[in-house]
Amino acid sequence: MNHPRRLQILQAIVEDYVHFREPVGSKALVERHRLGVSSATVRNDMAALEEEGLITAPHTSSGRIPTDKGYRTFVDQIAAVKPLSGPERRAIQSLLDDAADIDDVMERTVRLLAQLTHQVAVVQYPHASGVTVRHVEVVDLGAGRVLVVLIPTNGRVAQRVAVLRAPLEETQLLELRARVLAAAVGRSLAAVPEALVAMIADVAPPLRPAAATVAETVGALAAGGAEHRMVMAGTANLARSTGDFHLSIGPVLEALEEQVVMLRLLSEMEQDARGVAVRIGAENAAGPLSETAVVATGYGPQSKVGVVGPMRMDYPSTMAAVRAVARYLSRILGG
Amino acid sequence: MNHPRRLQILQAIVEDYVHFREPVGSKALVERHRLGVSSATVRNDMAALEEEGLITAPHTSSGRIPTDKGYRTFVDQIAAVKPLSGPERRAIQSLLDDAADIDDVMERTVRLLAQLTHQVAVVQYPHASGVTVRHVEVVDLGAGRVLVVLIPTNGRVAQRVAVLRAPLEETQLLELRARVLAAAVGRSLAAVPEALVAMIADVAPPLRPAAATVAETVGALAAGGAEHRMVMAGTANLARSTGDFHLSIGPVLEALEEQVVMLRLLSEMEQDARGVAVRIGAENAAGPLSETAVVATGYGPQSKVGVVGPMRMDYPSTMAAVRAVARYLSRILGG
DNA sequence: CGCTGGCACTGTGGCCGCCCGAGTGCCAGA
DNA sequence: TCTGGCACTCGGGCGGCCACAGTGCCAGCG
């Protein structure tokens, strides 16, 4: 497809269809865009585009709408993602800057992105890979119960009560605490269990059962900290989009709530030179998402942020918003 | 309204309308329920019920559907909430019993309730009132930065980095830690700030600036821990319910995402002798929720759990499910 | 060779009139 | 007080009609 005018026409069709939400015809096209040719010529080109599978006519003698492949070509056409406007950038910054904890950051981010794009926004919690242990605390609760708290560098503190076979003296507990700290702090979450097993062997035999229990608990917490979670906002936007087209909202909502599916999809997407990744229609595995488009990008070490919407979406703006939000997110979490 | 047969007819209308989702006529009524009278008699009673504002006819010569007031009367009629079936109870128990942390409990609960009721489920995080401080940890990060971790009894650990004017010696930090622990542990979250202010005065003068900073941080964390949050699941069920009726899904989704609104509504609802509270249609403040019904109940000290759905819902089952889930939740969080 | 104006063609959607059926209200009688 | 019967009334489905938007194709022109 190296016919400049046809590309231009495809682009115009996508834009108009996104804007007016109805099939676009040759006449409307020449009226709204300065194509410099007559509608008959446009018709010929449209026939060619249809031949190539980039657009399709819902029925004879109706305007054309882009196909999945048409959207794909359009998106690939976009050379550089335009930056956001000043006010938008400032809005992002001021909103995210005074977030309290990580939950707050996620919550604000996802709402912001939903509002910016008018789509459903999805933000994955910072990935645990690269996250190390900042601190471990072992607190005696009495009666052989100890509270184990794991504080990773990503801020997702986890804690659990462990029940020991027998109560410990305070000095024993302090020693155990010191050992655990020495073994775990600074290690990556994935490496923690192994390090703790080594620690058990080092410890005085009478302390071993307790050490094993605590080690196991810390290990479980570390594994849990690596959990993949996400937050979501703007589902109401789906209702809007879905209203006038036969994209049924129910299955999409289900897929979104089933976080596993979404998280896998996000992790599969690899951003290109422009800093975003786009999946359109059937490019998402068959299923409820096969009638939607996903625009996503990474932030931080290897987490993802993105939006889900109808294929008929404003790709340039959406891509810009997603990228901008991801950048601020990286900056905030990095600092 | 003390006419037994008319109440029975109202009940039958509600049940049939919930089941078949279409206006119910006198003939269908006598066929499906053993009313012991003819359709003409039912018609007379229906006219009376309409007079009382309990049912209404969408148009002349169509069956009747219940009004808000009709549903209300129906719900008030339900004397005792029937218990859940054995398998259902076991499902709840086994699912909730092996939840890891508080987030996991919330997540599982809300999904479970959505699945049981086929509605949108909403669970408020345990309310902080009655929650006390289990532990506070102050960890030196070097360069005058300390990590302050607050562990309340409800499991919502909060942590934040505080920056001191000047670095502390380890012994100083340990003393400060001990002071903070002594002042805060066992106190309710609300009482923590006050107690810490008193602590500052007690501390040796050189340590006071650091004590003040840490106290402020702990206080902020305690206040944050009292935050009201909720989780939600089953929004896809809304799409189903909304499909065949003119309840538009968009505004309802918006209201649900705007947690503030939902949380206030939940907190306003007071359960009755049967252990649940029901709000129907216009009983919810004007707005998007005025076309929905909310069934909720409390759990734990004063938190809420409930579902939101169309007014045309199976109230007996829904009330039973909500109550059962709330009970298990109370039990789990209490232990 | 590519572009253009013109023309015949074709589904879609709105509109109208029609009829059928479900369900009602009312009345007279048991 | 209940019942059977009857006339009435909308709503919705069906078919025919027309106007419109937009197409494909063709012949002519630069």
Side-chain angles (χ1 to χ4, degrees):
Chain A
M1 242 292 272
N2 46 9
H3 190 308
R5 195 185 56 221
R6 288 189 189 157
L7 268 181
Q8 191 189 354
I9 288 175
L10 172 62
Q11 191 176 331
I13 291 174
V14 172
E15 283 168 7
D16 277 21
Y17 184 58
V18 166
H19 191 71
F20 299 103
R21 309 185 165 202
E22 53 190 21
V24 6
S26 56
K27 203 171 151 196
L29 225 40
V30 297
E31 277 168 11
R32 292 199 284 249
H33 303 258
R34 309 210 161 270
L35 295 174
V37 291
S38 77
S39 67
T41 308
V42 173
R43 279 201 290 283
N44 288 331
D45 287 341
M46 284 166 90
L49 288 169
E50 184 158 19
E51 189 71 19
E52 292 187 68
L54 296 173
I55 59 179
T56 184
H59 27 255
T60 320
S61 154
S62 158
R64 307 303 221 292
I65 64 176
T67 60
D68 294 16
K69 196 176 159 194
Y71 285 118
R72 162 56 55 200
T73 312
F74 172 80
V75 167
D76 290 344
Q77 269 296 110
I78 303 170
V81 173
K82 68 166 186 219
L84 254 53
S85 74
E88 281 175 315
R89 284 218 296 268
R90 258 170 278 135
I92 297 179
Q93 183 142 26
S94 70
L95 196 73
L96 293 189
D97 269 357
D98 53 284
D101 56 8
I102 180 81
D103 287 330
D104 200 20
V105 171
M106 293 291 112
E107 190 72 25
R108 281 166 187 251
T109 302
V110 76
R111 283 181 187 235
L112 172 69
L113 189 55
Q115 211 176 339
L116 282 175
T117 60
H118 309 292
Q119 310 288 359
V120 182
V122 167
V123 182
Q124 184 180 3
Y125 265 82
H127 198 285
S129 154
V131 173
T132 59
V133 175
R134 178 180 280 162
H135 188 66
V136 179
E137 194 55 52
V138 182
V139 183
D140 193 7
L141 299 178
R145 294 165 72 235
V146 293
L147 177 69
V148 180
V149 183
L150 175 76
I151 303 168
T153 50
N154 67 350
R156 278 206 67 75
V157 178
Q159 116 283 7
R160 189 180 293 183
V161 174
V163 180
L164 306 180
R165 299 252 187 87
L168 290 184
E169 296 297 320
E170 194 181 332
T171 51
Q172 291 181 303
L173 194 68
L174 280 177
E175 189 198 331
L176 183 53
R177 175 176 173 277
R179 295 266 188 182
V180 171
L181 275 171
V185 170
R187 285 246 156 61
S188 79
L189 292 189
V192 162
E194 203 180 340
L196 287 175
V197 168
M199 179 276 289
I200 297 173
D202 264 12
V203 110
L207 214 50
R208 278 196 195 146
T213 307
V214 170
E216 192 185 328
T217 308
V218 174
L221 291 174
E227 77 187 326
H228 300 274
R229 293 181 65 225
M230 52 172 253
V231 287
M232 193 171 79
T235 47
N237 293 326
L238 252 190
R240 242 199 332 85
S241 315
T242 215
D244 46 30
F245 212 75
H246 59 73
L247 162 62
S248 48
I249 190 174
V252 178
L253 280 175
E254 272 175 29
L256 287 170
E257 281 202 359
E258 201 50 59
Q259 309 194 343
V260 191
V261 179
M262 234 6 252
L263 288 170
R264 219 185 84 210
L265 176 60
L266 285 176
S267 71
E268 279 173 6
M269 293 174 67
E270 305 216 351
Q271 66 209 59
D272 59 20
R274 292 165 306 183
V276 285
V278 182
R279 288 246 190 157
I280 297 163
E283 294 172 5
N284 301 310
L289 260 32
S290 65
E291 288 182 354
T292 67
V294 183
V295 177
T297 189
Y299 76 88
Q302 48 169 301
S303 304
K304 292 286 169 69
V305 50
V307 305
V308 179
M311 288 190 282
R312 171 181 43 59
M313 72 159 69
D314 179 351
Y315 290 96
S317 306
T318 306
M319 288 161 78
V322 168
R323 209 186 50 172
V325 167
R327 290 193 173 169
Y328 277 95
L329 208 46
S330 294
R331 189 180 309 169
I332 286 183
L333 295 180
Chain B
M1 242 292 273
N2 46 10
H3 189 308
R5 195 184 56 223
R6 286 187 190 157
L7 269 181
Q8 191 189 354
I9 288 174
L10 172 62
Q11 192 177 330
I13 291 174
V14 172
E15 283 168 6
D16 277 21
Y17 184 58
V18 166
H19 191 72
F20 299 104
R21 310 187 164 198
E22 54 190 20
V24 5
S26 55
K27 201 170 151 196
L29 225 40
V30 297
E31 277 169 8
R32 292 199 284 247
H33 302 260
R34 306 209 164 271
L35 295 175
V37 292
S38 78
S39 69
T41 308
V42 172
R43 277 202 290 283
N44 288 330
D45 287 341
M46 284 166 88
L49 287 170
E50 183 159 17
E51 189 73 18
E52 292 186 67
L54 296 173
I55 59 178
T56 185
H59 25 255
T60 320
S61 153
S62 158
R64 307 302 219 293
I65 64 175
T67 60
D68 294 16
K69 195 176 158 193
Y71 284 119
R72 163 56 56 199
T73 311
F74 173 80
V75 167
D76 290 345
Q77 269 297 109
I78 303 169
V81 173
K82 66 166 189 220
L84 253 57
S85 74
E88 280 175 315
R89 284 218 296 267
R90 256 170 279 134
I92 296 179
Q93 184 141 26
S94 70
L95 197 72
L96 294 189
D97 270 357
D98 53 284
D101 56 8
I102 180 78
D103 287 331
D104 200 19
V105 171
M106 294 291 112
E107 190 70 25
R108 282 167 187 248
T109 302
V110 75
R111 283 182 187 234
L112 172 69
L113 189 54
Q115 211 175 340
L116 282 175
T117 61
H118 309 293
Q119 309 290 357
V120 182
V122 167
V123 182
Q124 184 181 3
Y125 265 81
H127 198 285
S129 154
V131 174
T132 59
V133 175
R134 179 180 279 162
H135 188 67
V136 178
E137 194 56 52
V138 182
V139 183
D140 192 10
L141 298 177
R145 294 165 74 235
V146 293
L147 178 69
V148 180
V149 184
L150 175 76
I151 304 168
T153 50
N154 68 350
R156 280 206 67 75
V157 178
Q159 114 283 9
R160 190 179 294 181
V161 174
V163 180
L164 306 179
R165 300 251 187 87
L168 290 183
E169 297 296 321
E170 194 182 336
T171 52
Q172 289 180 303
L173 192 69
L174 280 177
E175 188 199 332
L176 183 54
R177 175 177 174 276
R179 294 267 187 182
V180 171
L181 275 172
V185 169
R187 286 245 155 61
S188 79
L189 292 189
V192 161
E194 202 180 339
L196 287 176
V197 168
M199 178 276 288
I200 298 174
D202 264 13
V203 110
L207 215 51
R208 279 199 194 142
T213 306
V214 171
E216 193 186 328
T217 308
V218 175
L221 291 175
E227 77 187 326
H228 300 273
R229 293 180 66 225
M230 51 172 255
V231 287
M232 193 170 78
T235 46
N237 294 325
L238 251 190
R240 242 199 333 85
S241 316
T242 216
D244 45 31
F245 211 76
H246 58 73
L247 161 63
S248 47
I249 191 172
V252 177
L253 281 175
E254 272 174 28
L256 287 170
E257 282 202 358
E258 201 48 59
Q259 309 194 343
V260 192
V261 179
M262 235 4 253
L263 288 170
R264 220 186 83 209
L265 176 60
L266 286 176
S267 70
E268 279 172 5
M269 293 175 68
E270 305 215 349
Q271 66 209 59
D272 59 20
R274 292 165 307 183
V276 287
V278 182
R279 288 247 190 157
I280 297 163
E283 295 172 5
N284 302 310
L289 260 31
S290 64
E291 287 181 354
T292 67
V294 183
V295 177
T297 189
Y299 76 87
Q302 48 169 303
S303 303
K304 291 286 169 66
V305 49
V307 306
V308 178
M311 288 190 282
R312 171 178 44 59
M313 71 159 69
D314 180 351
Y315 290 96
S317 307
T318 306
M319 289 161 77
V322 169
R323 211 186 51 172
V325 168
R327 290 192 172 171
Y328 277 95
L329 208 46
S330 293
R331 191 180 306 171
I332 286 182
L333 295 179

Short mmCIF file of all heavy atoms in Angstrom, two decimals, chain A residues 152-185:
data_model
loop_
_atom_site.label_atom_id
_atom_site.label_comp_id
_atom_site.label_asym_id
_atom_site.label_seq_id
_atom_site.Cartn_x
_atom_site.Cartn_y
_atom_site.Cartn_z
N PRO A 152 8.52 -4.10 51.32
CA PRO A 152 9.32 -4.08 50.09
C PRO A 152 9.50 -2.64 49.62
O PRO A 152 8.78 -1.74 50.06
CB PRO A 152 8.48 -4.88 49.11
CG PRO A 152 7.09 -4.83 49.65
CD PRO A 152 7.11 -4.35 51.07
N THR A 153 10.42 -2.46 48.71
CA THR A 153 10.70 -1.09 48.25
C THR A 153 9.55 -0.49 47.45
O THR A 153 9.50 0.70 47.24
CB THR A 153 11.98 -1.06 47.40
OG1 THR A 153 11.87 -2.08 46.41
CG2 THR A 153 13.21 -1.28 48.24
N ASN A 154 8.64 -1.33 46.97
CA ASN A 154 7.54 -0.76 46.20
C ASN A 154 6.38 -0.31 47.08
O ASN A 154 5.35 0.13 46.59
CB ASN A 154 7.04 -1.76 45.15
CG ASN A 154 6.38 -2.98 45.76
OD1 ASN A 154 6.45 -3.18 46.97
ND2 ASN A 154 5.73 -3.77 44.93
N GLY A 155 6.53 -0.47 48.38
CA GLY A 155 5.53 0.10 49.27
C GLY A 155 4.33 -0.78 49.56
O GLY A 155 3.47 -0.42 50.35
N ARG A 156 4.27 -1.93 48.91
CA ARG A 156 3.12 -2.79 49.22
C ARG A 156 3.43 -3.67 50.43
O ARG A 156 3.74 -4.85 50.31
CB ARG A 156 2.73 -3.64 48.02
CG ARG A 156 1.87 -2.85 47.05
CD ARG A 156 0.96 -3.72 46.23
NE ARG A 156 -0.07 -4.36 47.00
CZ ARG A 156 -1.15 -3.76 47.47
NH1 ARG A 156 -1.34 -2.48 47.29
NH2 ARG A 156 -2.04 -4.43 48.15
N VAL A 157 3.31 -3.06 51.58
CA VAL A 157 3.59 -3.76 52.83
C VAL A 157 2.67 -4.96 53.00
O VAL A 157 1.49 -4.87 52.70
CB VAL A 157 3.39 -2.80 54.03
CG1 VAL A 157 3.65 -3.52 55.33
CG2 VAL A 157 4.30 -1.60 53.89
N ALA A 158 3.22 -6.06 53.43
CA ALA A 158 2.40 -7.24 53.69
C ALA A 158 2.71 -7.74 55.08
O ALA A 158 3.83 -7.61 55.56
CB ALA A 158 2.71 -8.33 52.66
N GLN A 159 1.71 -8.29 55.72
CA GLN A 159 1.97 -8.78 57.07
C GLN A 159 1.08 -9.98 57.37
O GLN A 159 0.01 -10.13 56.77
CB GLN A 159 1.80 -7.64 58.07
CG GLN A 159 0.70 -7.79 59.06
CD GLN A 159 -0.65 -7.49 58.45
OE1 GLN A 159 -0.77 -7.29 57.25
NE2 GLN A 159 -1.68 -7.50 59.26
N ARG A 160 1.56 -10.84 58.22
CA ARG A 160 0.79 -12.03 58.58
C ARG A 160 1.22 -12.52 59.95
O ARG A 160 2.35 -12.32 60.37
CB ARG A 160 1.01 -13.14 57.53
CG ARG A 160 0.07 -14.31 57.72
CD ARG A 160 0.31 -15.36 56.68
NE ARG A 160 -0.05 -14.91 55.34
CZ ARG A 160 0.02 -15.69 54.26
NH1 ARG A 160 0.46 -16.93 54.37
NH2 ARG A 160 -0.32 -15.23 53.09
N VAL A 161 0.31 -13.16 60.63
CA VAL A 161 0.61 -13.72 61.94
C VAL A 161 1.11 -15.15 61.77
O VAL A 161 0.49 -15.93 61.05
CB VAL A 161 -0.63 -13.70 62.85
CG1 VAL A 161 -0.33 -14.42 64.16
CG2 VAL A 161 -1.08 -12.27 63.11
N ALA A 162 2.23 -15.46 62.38
CA ALA A 162 2.74 -16.84 62.35
C ALA A 162 2.62 -17.44 63.75
O ALA A 162 2.83 -16.74 64.75
CB ALA A 162 4.20 -16.85 61.91
N VAL A 163 2.26 -18.69 63.79
CA VAL A 163 2.11 -19.36 65.09
C VAL A 163 3.28 -20.33 65.29
O VAL A 163 3.48 -21.24 64.48
CB VAL A 163 0.79 -20.13 65.17
CG1 VAL A 163 0.66 -20.82 66.54
CG2 VAL A 163 -0.37 -19.19 64.92
N LEU A 164 4.06 -20.09 66.33
CA LEU A 164 5.23 -20.92 66.60
C LEU A 164 4.84 -22.14 67.44
O LEU A 164 3.84 -22.12 68.16
CB LEU A 164 6.28 -20.10 67.36
CG LEU A 164 6.69 -18.79 66.69
CD1 LEU A 164 7.72 -18.08 67.55
CD2 LEU A 164 7.24 -19.06 65.29
N ARG A 165 5.67 -23.17 67.35
CA ARG A 165 5.40 -24.37 68.16
C ARG A 165 5.44 -24.03 69.65
O ARG A 165 4.62 -24.45 70.43
CB ARG A 165 6.47 -25.44 67.89
CG ARG A 165 6.51 -25.89 66.45
CD ARG A 165 5.95 -27.29 66.28
NE ARG A 165 6.19 -27.71 64.90
CZ ARG A 165 7.31 -28.28 64.51
NH1 ARG A 165 8.26 -28.54 65.38
NH2 ARG A 165 7.46 -28.62 63.25
N ALA A 166 6.46 -23.24 69.99
CA ALA A 166 6.62 -22.87 71.40
C ALA A 166 6.98 -21.39 71.48
O ALA A 166 7.63 -20.86 70.58
CB ALA A 166 7.74 -23.71 72.02
N PRO A 167 6.60 -20.72 72.55
CA PRO A 167 6.93 -19.30 72.70
C PRO A 167 8.43 -19.10 72.76
O PRO A 167 9.18 -20.00 73.12
CB PRO A 167 6.30 -18.93 74.05
CG PRO A 167 5.27 -19.98 74.32
CD PRO A 167 5.77 -21.22 73.67
N LEU A 168 8.87 -17.92 72.39
CA LEU A 168 10.31 -17.60 72.42
C LEU A 168 10.60 -16.57 73.50
O LEU A 168 9.75 -15.75 73.84
CB LEU A 168 10.74 -17.00 71.07
CG LEU A 168 10.77 -17.92 69.86
CD1 LEU A 168 11.31 -17.15 68.66
CD2 LEU A 168 11.63 -19.15 70.13
N GLU A 169 11.83 -16.66 74.01
CA GLU A 169 12.31 -15.59 74.90
C GLU A 169 12.50 -14.33 74.05
O GLU A 169 12.69 -14.42 72.83
CB GLU A 169 13.69 -15.97 75.48
CG GLU A 169 13.67 -17.19 76.36
CD GLU A 169 12.82 -16.97 77.60
OE1 GLU A 169 12.88 -15.86 78.18
OE2 GLU A 169 12.07 -17.90 77.96
N GLU A 170 12.54 -13.19 74.73
CA GLU A 170 12.69 -11.96 73.96
C GLU A 170 14.04 -11.92 73.26
O GLU A 170 14.15 -11.49 72.11
CB GLU A 170 12.55 -10.73 74.87
CG GLU A 170 12.37 -9.46 74.06
CD GLU A 170 12.26 -8.23 74.94
OE1 GLU A 170 11.81 -8.36 76.08
OE2 GLU A 170 12.65 -7.15 74.47
N THR A 171 15.08 -12.38 73.96
CA THR A 171 16.41 -12.36 73.34
C THR A 171 16.45 -13.26 72.12
O THR A 171 17.06 -12.93 71.10
CB THR A 171 17.47 -12.83 74.35
OG1 THR A 171 17.06 -14.08 74.91
CG2 THR A 171 17.64 -11.82 75.46
N GLN A 172 15.78 -14.39 72.22
CA GLN A 172 15.76 -15.31 71.07
C GLN A 172 15.07 -14.65 69.89
O GLN A 172 15.52 -14.73 68.74
CB GLN A 172 14.99 -16.59 71.45
CG GLN A 172 15.71 -17.47 72.46
CD GLN A 172 14.91 -18.71 72.76
OE1 GLN A 172 13.77 -18.62 73.19
NE2 GLN A 172 15.52 -19.87 72.55
N LEU A 173 13.97 -13.99 70.21
CA LEU A 173 13.22 -13.33 69.15
C LEU A 173 14.06 -12.25 68.48
O LEU A 173 14.08 -12.12 67.25
CB LEU A 173 11.94 -12.71 69.73
CG LEU A 173 10.92 -12.28 68.68
CD1 LEU A 173 10.33 -13.50 67.99
CD2 LEU A 173 9.82 -11.45 69.31
N LEU A 174 14.80 -11.53 69.32
CA LEU A 174 15.64 -10.46 68.77
C LEU A 174 16.72 -11.04 67.87
O LEU A 174 17.03 -10.49 66.82
CB LEU A 174 16.26 -9.63 69.90
CG LEU A 174 15.30 -8.59 70.49
CD1 LEU A 174 15.96 -7.86 71.65
CD2 LEU A 174 14.87 -7.60 69.40
N GLU A 175 17.24 -12.15 68.29
CA GLU A 175 18.28 -12.75 67.46
C GLU A 175 17.69 -13.21 66.13
O GLU A 175 18.25 -12.97 65.06
CB GLU A 175 18.92 -13.95 68.17
CG GLU A 175 20.14 -14.43 67.39
CD GLU A 175 20.56 -15.84 67.77
OE1 GLU A 175 20.32 -16.25 68.92
OE2 GLU A 175 21.11 -16.53 66.88
N LEU A 176 16.56 -13.85 66.25
CA LEU A 176 15.89 -14.33 65.04
C LEU A 176 15.60 -13.17 64.09
O LEU A 176 15.86 -13.24 62.88
CB LEU A 176 14.59 -15.04 65.43
CG LEU A 176 13.80 -15.67 64.29
CD1 LEU A 176 14.68 -16.61 63.47
CD2 LEU A 176 12.60 -16.44 64.85
N ARG A 177 15.09 -12.09 64.70
CA ARG A 177 14.78 -10.90 63.91
C ARG A 177 16.03 -10.40 63.18
O ARG A 177 16.00 -10.10 61.97
CB ARG A 177 14.25 -9.81 64.84
CG ARG A 177 14.00 -8.48 64.19
CD ARG A 177 13.39 -7.50 65.19
NE ARG A 177 13.30 -6.16 64.64
CZ ARG A 177 14.29 -5.30 64.62
NH1 ARG A 177 15.46 -5.63 65.12
NH2 ARG A 177 14.12 -4.10 64.09
N ALA A 178 17.12 -10.35 63.91
CA ALA A 178 18.37 -9.86 63.32
C ALA A 178 18.81 -10.76 62.17
O ALA A 178 19.24 -10.29 61.11
CB ALA A 178 19.46 -9.78 64.39
N ARG A 179 18.67 -12.05 62.39
CA ARG A 179 19.07 -13.00 61.34
C ARG A 179 18.23 -12.82 60.09
O ARG A 179 18.74 -12.81 58.96
CB ARG A 179 18.86 -14.44 61.86
CG ARG A 179 19.75 -14.79 63.01
CD ARG A 179 20.99 -15.46 62.48
NE ARG A 179 21.79 -15.98 63.59
CZ ARG A 179 22.95 -16.57 63.43
NH1 ARG A 179 23.44 -16.74 62.22
NH2 ARG A 179 23.63 -17.00 64.47
N VAL A 180 16.94 -12.72 60.32
CA VAL A 180 16.04 -12.58 59.17
C VAL A 180 16.36 -11.29 58.42
O VAL A 180 16.44 -11.27 57.19
CB VAL A 180 14.56 -12.58 59.63
CG1 VAL A 180 13.64 -12.22 58.47
CG2 VAL A 180 14.19 -13.93 60.21
N LEU A 181 16.56 -10.23 59.18
CA LEU A 181 16.89 -8.96 58.55
C LEU A 181 18.15 -9.08 57.71
O LEU A 181 18.19 -8.66 56.55
CB LEU A 181 17.10 -7.88 59.62
CG LEU A 181 15.83 -7.19 60.11
CD1 LEU A 181 16.13 -6.31 61.31
CD2 LEU A 181 15.24 -6.36 58.98
N ALA A 182 19.15 -9.66 58.31
CA ALA A 182 20.43 -9.80 57.62
C ALA A 182 20.27 -10.60 56.33
O ALA A 182 20.87 -10.29 55.30
CB ALA A 182 21.45 -10.47 58.53
N ALA A 183 19.42 -11.62 56.41
CA ALA A 183 19.29 -12.50 55.24
C ALA A 183 18.42 -11.89 54.14
O ALA A 183 18.67 -12.12 52.96
CB ALA A 183 18.70 -13.85 55.69
N ALA A 184 17.43 -11.12 54.55
CA ALA A 184 16.44 -10.71 53.56
C ALA A 184 16.63 -9.29 53.02
O ALA A 184 16.42 -9.06 51.82
CB ALA A 184 15.03 -10.84 54.15
N VAL A 185 17.00 -8.37 53.88
CA VAL A 185 17.02 -6.97 53.45
C VAL A 185 17.97 -6.76 52.26
O VAL A 185 19.10 -7.25 52.27
CB VAL A 185 17.41 -6.04 54.62
CG1 VAL A 185 17.68 -4.63 54.11
CG2 VAL A 185 16.30 -6.02 55.64
#
